[in-house]
Structure formats: structure tokens, C-alpha cells
Amino acid sequence: MTDTANLGLPFIEGSQAQKHVTHNESLRILDSVIQIAVLDTDRTAPPVSPAEGDRHIVAASPTGAWTGHAAAVAAWEDGAWRFLVPHTGWIAWSVDDDVLFVFDGGEWRDLRDLPAVFDHVGINASADTTNRLSVRSNAVLLTDVSTTDGGSGDVRLQLSKQSAGNTASVVFSNAFSGRAEFGLVGSDAFQLKVSPDGSSFADAFVVDQTTGNLTLPRALYLNGVISPAQITSNTDNYAPTGFSTASTLRLSTDASRNLTGIAAGADGRIIVVHNVGAQSLVLKNDVTSTAANRFFLGADTTLTADTSITLRYDGTTARWRAMVSPGSGGGGVSGDVVGPVSATDNAAARFDGATGKLVQDSVLIVADTTGSLSRSGNGGIPVQGTNTNNSAAAGYVGEYIESEVLTGSAVALTSGVTANITSISLTAGDWDVHGLVAFNVAVSTSAVWGGINTVSATLPVSPGKGAYFALNDSAAVTGQSVPVGMRRLSLNATTTVYLVARANHGGSTLGYGFIGARRAR
């Protein structure tokens, strides 16, 4: 072997003459290869006037003196080009590209394009197994790869979590104590949370991932308030200074004035118009102003002193429409909310179909503290009953429950022993319970009893709250039904109520009957 394996440096033979020539050749190669810095990588033809020591990486399909030397390092030495064939792993800096290139055995590759996987990376900061990417910087810039450079022109940062119950979010902190967090926090709904201390967070808003509906769990403040100069004439196309960023207009007039429209409506915009003056402000319905600035309220709407209306601009119809109509004695889209001066104190509001107004003046009185209902004037509150044969729903006044045992299923009564004829289960509430017991009596029966009780197989103590009987003349009840009576049961939990009976006899006696209950409260 006459040359070294990697750089091809010629060996000096033992009997070689002019050893300095071989030695110098090796030095020239080392000078060209060690710490390679080439002028460029995209030339296909040699430069016209190269300087001594200039180096280039020959581009594909070379011509002229470089023909057949694609990818070689071309070095200008002593007025001629020396071509060094690269080996896998050679590294060269390109001055023109300002990039480091590495030879992979077939081509020179931009080191920036080579795949790299790191366990963790710190940029001006320390990274660890928890924070695998740590950056300490006053600013971070992410910019697109334009379509002219082969990119899409887009920039998208994706945070992907394992499952719906995990979190993918961005946290904004003060000295590493969280103050705000937005993203998918413990669910797939988009949320914004805020915190005063980094430990307790409150939802500011939640956006449902399926419907896109926005939920505001906290108060909403409309603080873009402006107070324009007093309106002193009927006005079309109202456009006060500052309206473009306002959410609330505090208006006043020198007398009753008409406002026919507000300029600069945008689809979905919401504003509150509040009359802070002592005179009425009338919002005229669909007249005079430029069509796209008009109100569409169904009728003229009067804002009396200290009343307001919430408007939303409908881009489809190009009109301002009412979201919440005013509390005003002068009427509005959905009627009055504040009653006239003559309204009865505590009177329940009623809707007047003739005028379309909700008027606070009716004979139904709601007590301030207890909420109890009464009727002004004489008489109680009439309650209309049902006009069908249906039953009241469970839990409502009028609910009815019953149980009946017919003679064919009569219960055999052991002499002197109280037995359950049937029972019903009543939920908590105030019930009126009634029933009756019938007997098939043997000739030797001397006495019978019956009643309603909450204790199984036990007669109530006489008089049993009105639901009890005792008869000593068996002949009087043979084959007859004896009313037990009615009693009130006030229950605080679900309770079983029994229809019970007893007979003293020397033969056989059977008992059957009925129990029913209606909810009073």
C-alpha cells in the first residue's frame, strides 16, 4: 500500500529519492482536507480566476476542468486543480451557504436537514426528564416556510394529549405561579381558567367541543361605557363619538326625543342603551334612518327615566333587534316589566293579551318574605280542577293511591289475632287515608275490629285518629262492609300503611276490604 487508507496521503518509501516531494504532497493534501472550509457547493464549472488555496465542492454534472469530479473537493494549488474524493463522514463548512455539510457516501447533505432525536434540549436553560425542552429567552419566534421555499405558508403548534381526561394546555405564570391556563384541561372542552395564587383556578369560559356553545360560569362585565352629549332633537343614524368600541350607551335627552337608528352595526354586536335622563327616549320602529341602521322592535319602544334595552344587530335583516326589552311604563316589544305607579304592592305580574304587555297589577298577591299567595279583596284563590279523567302525578297535590282485596281473596282471621288485610306505600307528605273492612263471619263470632295503622298487624288505639271501629254484634256485620273512617297521616319518609282487622270467633271468619289515600300537601 502506497497511500493512507482515509486521506490518501502518499507514503515515503525507504529507498525513495527526493523524499521531500512525497512529504510535501502529503502536506498539501492535509492542508486541503483538514478543517475544510469551501467557498461554495453549487458550482458546476471552475471559477475563472481562482486564488491559491481556494476550495469548492463540485456540484452535479460538472463541466470544463471539473468534468467527472462531481461531489469532490476541488482545491486550486500551484496553478492547477487538485480533486479530493470525499469519504463518508467528511464535514465541510460552506462560506457561501453559511451552513455545515456532511458527506453521506453519495452526496453532501445540509446538516440542518439531518434527522436528530434528543432526550432533552435546553436553550440557554437546563432541561431535564420532566421539562425535556427548556428555553430561556425574552422572545420566541415561529415563522412559516413559504410556498416559494417548498412549504405551505402555514404555522401550526399542536399539543396532543393521551385521552379526554388528560390535559393539553398553555399556562401563563408569575414567577412560575400559574395565573391563567387555556386549552383542553381535564376534558375535550376548550377552557380558560384564571387563578390568584397558582393553586385555586376558576373557569372564565368553557366552549363545548361538540356544539361550540360558549358557557360563562362567572359574571360578564360590559365596561365599554360612553356618555355622549345630551340628545336635543329627534335623531337619525345616531353615531356618537366612541361608539365603535362601546358596549353601553348612557343617553339623556332635553325632552321626549325620537331615535330612529344607530350607525355602524355589525352582525352579532350587542349593546345596552340606558336612558339616564329624566325625559323619555323613544326608539322608533323601522323608520327614517338608513335602512341598515334602523331598529326592528315590533313597535315603538319608549325608554322612560332610568330604563334600558339590550340590542343585538342582526346582519341577515340588517336591523337592530331587542334581546331584552325595557322596563318601561311606555311599553315595548315584550311589554312592561316595571308596572305603573298605580300598581298594587306585591301584586303578581300578569300578561295582558289585548295590549301585549306584562303588567304588574293583578288580584294575586305574593307575600314579601314567605312567598304565600293571597287574593286582594274578599274571597280565597280559586283553583281550577282538571277536566279529564287522568291522575295527579306522583308528588303533586291530589296524588291518589289505593289497594283492594276482594271476597275471593279474603284473609283468614285467627281468633283474637290482628291481621293485615292489605297495605299501601306512601311517600313523605300530608295524606288523608280512608278504608273499609268486610267480614264473612262464622256463627260463633262474638266481636270484630278494624282500623288503619302504620304498624303491621296491629290495631290502632281507640279512637285511632278517626280510622277505627269495634263491633260486638257479629250479626250486624255478617257479609257487610264497615267503614273504617279517615285519618290524617303526616309522613317525613316513605311509610307502609296497613288496613288491619281482628275477629273473636269459635269457627272461621274471613276479612277483606279497601284502603285509599290522597295527598293533601
Side-chain angles (χ1 to χ4, degrees):
M1 185 169 66
T2 60
D3 298 320
T4 61
N6 292 315
L7 297 182
L9 304 179
F11 287 120
I12 299 176
E13 299 295 339
S15 58
Q16 177 181 326
Q18 296 184 326
K19 292 180 174 58
H20 66 282
V21 174
T22 302
H23 177 70
N24 289 342
E25 177 71 8
S26 296
L27 291 179
R28 289 180 183 276
I29 295 174
L30 288 173
D31 184 61
S32 298
V33 173
I34 301 301
Q35 301 292 347
I36 303 177
V38 298
L39 296 179
D40 49 48
T41 61
D42 56 358
R43 284 183 175 272
T44 58
V48 176
S49 302
E52 181 70 18
D54 282 356
R55 289 174 292 185
H56 305 267
I57 290 178
V58 180
S61 303
T63 61
W66 287 2
T67 300
H69 295 287
V73 177
W76 182 256
E77 299 174 356
D78 294 333
W81 290 105
R82 176 192 295 277
F83 298 99
L84 302 172
V85 179
H87 292 252
T88 301
W90 279 26
I91 296 175
W93 176 261
S94 172
V95 175
D96 182 59
D97 298 301
D98 200 25
V99 170
L100 195 64
F101 287 83
V102 62
F103 190 71
D104 66 0
E107 63 177 338
W108 290 92
R109 298 178 61 182
D110 187 332
L111 194 62
R112 297 170 302 178
D113 297 334
L114 297 180
V117 177
F118 303 99
D119 180 69
H120 52 271
V121 175
I123 301 175
N124 196 30
S126 297
D128 53 36
T129 55
T130 299
N131 300 297
R132 293 183 180 273
L133 173 62
S134 295
V135 179
R136 182 170 175 262
S137 175
N138 294 121
V140 176
L141 173 64
L142 300 177
T143 188
D144 70 287
V145 178
S146 67
T147 54
T148 57
D149 291 331
S152 66
D154 302 320
V155 175
R156 179 176 289 112
L157 179 65
Q158 182 173 127
L159 304 178
S160 180
K161 60 180 183 174
Q162 179 176 314
S163 63
N166 294 106
T167 293
S169 68
V170 177
V171 178
F172 298 88
S173 300
N174 178 3
F176 300 102
S177 176
R179 292 296 180 268
E181 179 178 15
F182 71 77
L184 312 181
V185 185
S187 74
D188 282 344
F190 184 79
Q191 302 177 57
L192 171 63
K193 296 173 174 285
V194 292
S195 173
D197 54 16
S199 58
S200 59
F201 281 79
D203 287 337
F205 68 71
V206 180
V207 181
D208 184 83
Q209 71 273 20
T210 302
T211 64
N213 291 339
L214 173 67
T215 300
L216 299 174
R218 298 293 185 270
L220 175 65
Y221 292 85
L222 302 177
N223 54 11
V225 180
I226 61 173
S227 299
Q230 187 178 70
I231 297 173
T232 57
S233 63
N234 295 333
T235 304
D236 298 335
N237 304 308
Y238 187 53
T241 301
F243 176 69
S244 62
T245 58
S247 61
T248 300
L249 304 181
R250 291 171 54 85
L251 305 182
S252 64
T253 61
D254 63 337
S256 180
R257 299 295 183 185
N258 296 336
L259 191 63
T260 66
I262 300 176
D267 188 36
R269 184 176 182 185
I270 297 173
I271 61 171
V272 176
V273 179
H274 184 193
N275 182 6
V276 297
Q279 303 295 328
S280 294
L281 175 63
V282 182
L283 306 186
K284 302 294 288 184
N285 184 62
D286 207 20
V287 296
T288 314
S289 280
T290 302
N293 295 334
R294 294 179 186 175
F295 305 114
F296 194 79
L297 308 175
D300 293 348
T301 300
T302 300
L303 300 183
T304 55
D306 200 27
T307 59
S308 61
I309 184 172
T310 302
L311 302 173
R312 178 186 182 276
Y313 193 81
D314 181 359
T316 302
T317 59
R319 295 290 191 277
W320 291 99
R321 293 177 176 267
M323 291 181 64
V324 180
S325 58
S328 154
V333 179
S334 302
D336 297 332
V337 174
V338 177
V341 176
S342 60
T344 304
D345 185 38
N346 291 340
R350 62 180 177 82
F351 182 76
D352 187 334
T355 63
K357 298 178 181 180
L358 188 66
V359 183
Q360 188 206 345
D361 199 2
S362 67
V363 298
L364 187 62
I365 307 299
V366 183
D368 283 329
T369 56
T370 65
S372 62
L373 300 179
S374 61
R375 183 183 181 189
S376 62
N378 298 323
I381 302 174
V383 179
Q384 183 176 348
T386 180
N387 56 9
T388 67
N389 63 344
N390 59 352
S391 299
Y396 285 79
V397 171
E399 176 187 0
Y400 190 76
I401 296 175
E402 64 179 24
S403 177
E404 184 176 41
V405 175
L406 301 177
T407 183
S409 301
V411 177
L413 300 177
T414 301
S415 180
V417 178
T418 303
N420 296 328
I421 302 301
T422 186
S423 65
I424 55 177
S425 179
L426 302 181
T427 56
D430 197 347
W431 297 85
D432 291 331
V433 187
H434 60 280
L436 60 82
V437 178
F439 298 91
N440 288 334
V441 180
V443 175
S444 57
T445 299
S446 59
V448 292
W449 295 263
I452 294 173
N453 204 353
T454 56
V455 181
S456 177
T458 303
L459 284 169
V461 177
S462 180
K465 302 293 185 181
Y468 172 81
F469 70 83
L471 297 175
N472 294 318
D473 183 358
S474 62
V477 298
T478 300
Q480 300 297 315
S481 297
V482 182
V484 174
M486 178 180 291
R487 67 173 296 184
R488 175 197 178 199
L489 287 176
S490 183
L491 308 175
N492 62 6
T494 298
T495 303
T496 301
V497 181
Y498 302 91
L499 178 68
V500 296
R502 180 195 298 176
N504 288 346
H505 58 85
S508 65
T509 295
L510 302 176
Y512 54 98
F514 167 88
I515 185 173
R518 186 176 297 278
R519 182 186 291 274
R521 293 190 300 128

